[in-house]
Amino acid sequence: MLPTDPTTPDMSDRARAVFRTLVESYLETGEPVGSRTLSRQIPEGVSAATIRNVMQDLEFLGLLEAPHISAGRIPTEIGLRLFVDGIMESRTIDGLDRSEIEKSMSEPQPDVSAVLDRAGSVLSMMTRGASLILSPSMEAPIKHIEFVSLAADRVLVVLVTADGQVENRLFTPPPGLTPSAMREAANFLNAVLEGRTLSEANRLVRHEITNRQQEIDAIAARLVEAGVAVWGDQGAGRDRLMVRGAAQLLDDAEAADLERIRSLFDDLERKEDLAQLLDLTEEGDGVRVFIGSENKLFSLSGSSLVVSPYMNGERKIIGAIGVIGPTRLNYGRIVPIVDYTAQLVGRIVSDRGAAG
C-alpha cells in the first residue's frame, strides 16, 4: 500500500477512536454515521456531545463531511486515505477466504486465459465488486498455428503459445483460397515460427517467404502474411483487460450511485491504453489502493481500485489483478484477498509456463 502521508494530522486517542469507528461503520453500512450511533459503539463511554465536538474538528481537518442535510457524517477521500494508510490494521487473509480461493483456483483450466477468467470470477464473487484482470502480453514462444475456414470471406487463425494461452483472430483471406493452401500455410508457419515469439514473427516470415519461394505457392504465401499481420494490427502483443462481475456494482446501488456506475461502465468500455493499469502497480511491490480521484484511470466515476501485480518465476511483473467498486469498499478484507489471489495466479501462470 501507499506510504503514510507525512502531512497526516496528529489526532488524540479519542479523536482517533471516533474517526476509526465512524469509518468502519460507514464502510459496513454505506450510511452517514451520527454521534449517538458512535456513542453506543465506542467502549470508553464518551458522550454524544463530546463526539459531536470531535466530529466537527475532524470535519475542519477535511477528514469528514456531511453528504446532505443530516446529523451524520461520512469520510472524505482524504479521510479514507488516512484510514487505509495509517489506521486500518494490516491483516492476513482470513482462513475461510483463503480456502475459498484455493478451492476455486484448484479446478483444472485448459489455458492461461481460463485461469485468469476464473480468478476474476472468484474475486468478483468474494468481494461483490467488479474484478479487473490484466493478462500478460503474448510474448511466450509459439507452439502451434492453425487456419480454419468459416466462410468464403472469413478465416480464423488460431495461435497457441507454450504457456497455454490460446488466441483467435478473424480476417479476410486472399481470393482463390483452397483447403490445400490453408494446410500449406499452416505447415509453413509451424515450421518457421515454432519456439519464436510474436514480436519476431513479422520480420521472420517475410524473410523466409522470400528465401523459400519454391516451397510455398502464391496464395499460401499471401495467407501466411495476412495471418501474421492480423496479430500485429489488432494488438496481440498488448496487455488485455478482462472485467468480471460488473453487474455486481448495480445490485446494492442506490439511485444516487447509478450515474457514477454508468460512468464507470463507460470507462471500462472505452479504455484502449490498458497498460496504464499495470503501470499503477510498478511503483511498489504488493497491493496498491487508489481512492476516488486518486484513481486516474476511472477518476470520473469516483470509484476505488485495489490492485496488485502478479509475477512470473523470475519475479518479473507480467500482469495485474484487482477489484474496483465504490469508495466504501471493505478495504480491510479486500486488500488481503487481492494480495493472495495475485500471488496464487502468479504461481499458476509460472507453473504453466515451465510445463510448456
Side-chain angles (χ1 to χ4, degrees), residues 3 9 29 36 57 61 94 107 120 129 136 154 213 224 252 258 278 290-291 294 306 338:
T29 67
R36 290 189 181 278
D57 292 339
L61 291 171
D94 178 83
E107 298 174 9
R154 274 286 177 266
Q213 286 180 342
V224 164
D252 301 319
L258 292 179
L278 187 56
F290 298 86
I291 299 170
E294 300 172 350
V306 180
V338 169

Side-chain angles (χ1 to χ4, degrees), residues 29 53 57 118 206 223 236 242 247 259 290 293 311 321 334 341:
T29 67
N53 291 333
D57 292 339
R118 184 61 182 165
R206 286 182 173 81
L223 180 62
M242 303 164 65
E259 188 58 38
F290 298 86
S293 60
M311 305 180 185
I321 186 169
I334 290 176
T341 305

Side-chain angles (χ1 to χ4, degrees), residues 4 13 18 36 40 51 88 94 97 101 110 118 127 146 156 163 173 177 181 196 211 224 257 287 330 347:
T4 303
D13 290 343
V18 168
R36 290 189 181 278
R40 292 192 294 268
I51 290 175
M88 182 180 78
D94 178 83
D97 287 339
I101 295 169
R118 184 61 182 165
T127 64
E146 185 173 349
L156 183 73
D163 64 356
L177 182 65
R196 307 279 189 167
N211 286 351
V224 164
D257 291 329
V287 183
N330 184 348
R347 289 200 298 270

Side-chain angles (χ1 to χ4, degrees), residues 18-27 29-38 41 51-60 62-76 80:
V18 168
F19 179 70
R20 176 176 185 158
T21 306
L22 185 149
V23 174
E24 289 176 342
S25 178
Y26 168 73
L27 295 180
T29 67
E31 299 292 333
V33 185
S35 55
R36 290 189 181 278
T37 299
L38 291 173
Q41 294 178 346
I51 290 175
R52 279 195 296 273
N53 291 333
V54 173
M55 291 169 69
Q56 288 175 357
D57 292 339
L58 294 172
E59 189 171 1
F60 178 76
L63 302 177
L64 301 180
E65 63 182 352
H68 43 71
I69 301 174
S70 166
R73 297 293 183 270
I74 65 173
T76 62
L80 287 172

Side-chain angles (χ1 to χ4, degrees), residues 36-145:
R36 290 189 181 278
T37 299
L38 291 173
S39 67
R40 292 192 294 268
Q41 294 178 346
I42 295 175
E44 289 81 358
V46 184
S47 70
T50 299
I51 290 175
R52 279 195 296 273
N53 291 333
V54 173
M55 291 169 69
Q56 288 175 357
D57 292 339
L58 294 172
E59 189 171 1
F60 178 76
L61 291 171
L63 302 177
L64 301 180
E65 63 182 352
H68 43 71
I69 301 174
S70 166
R73 297 293 183 270
I74 65 173
T76 62
E77 288 183 9
I78 296 173
L80 287 172
R81 169 54 59 198
L82 171 62
F83 174 79
V84 168
D85 285 347
I87 294 180
M88 182 180 78
E89 292 181 0
S90 178
R91 288 171 46 183
T92 56
I93 187 169
D94 178 83
L96 291 177
D97 287 339
R98 178 197 291 262
S99 297
E100 181 67 26
I101 295 169
E102 290 177 347
K103 178 182 177 183
S104 298
M105 294 301 296
S106 66
E107 298 174 9
Q109 304 296 336
D111 52 48
V112 169
S113 293
V115 170
L116 298 176
D117 184 73
R118 184 61 182 165
S121 298
V122 170
L123 267 185
S124 175
M125 176 192 67
M126 295 184 67
T127 64
R128 296 193 61 78
S131 65
L132 306 180
I133 308 285
L134 190 68
S135 62
S137 57
M138 291 190 66
E139 284 303 308
I142 295 168
K143 185 176 181 180
H144 182 73
I145 294 177

Side-chain angles (χ1 to χ4, degrees), residues 274-293:
L274 300 174
Q276 292 180 72
L277 182 61
L278 187 56
D279 293 341
L280 295 179
T281 69
E282 290 184 336
E283 296 175 21
D285 189 7
V287 183
R288 291 173 62 79
V289 179
F290 298 86
I291 299 170
S293 60

Side-chain angles (χ1 to χ4, degrees), residues 147-226:
F147 293 101
V148 180
S149 179
L150 302 178
D153 62 346
R154 274 286 177 266
V155 167
L156 183 73
V157 56
V158 181
L159 184 146
V160 182
T161 60
D163 64 356
Q165 293 190 69
V166 179
E167 285 288 334
N168 306 310
R169 292 287 188 273
L170 279 171
F171 69 98
T172 302
L177 182 65
T178 63
S180 62
M182 280 203 303
R183 287 194 298 272
E184 188 176 355
N187 291 339
F188 177 83
L189 280 173
N190 284 315
V192 170
L193 295 183
E194 184 177 7
R196 307 279 189 167
T197 65
L198 276 172
S199 59
E200 300 172 311
N202 269 309
R203 61 178 181 273
L204 184 61
V205 162
R206 286 182 173 81
H207 178 266
E208 289 296 317
I209 287 177
T210 301
N211 286 351
R212 298 164 63 173
Q213 286 180 342
Q214 303 302 317
E215 299 177 31
I216 185 169
D217 70 28
I219 293 177
R222 291 201 299 273
L223 180 62
V224 164
E225 291 185 330

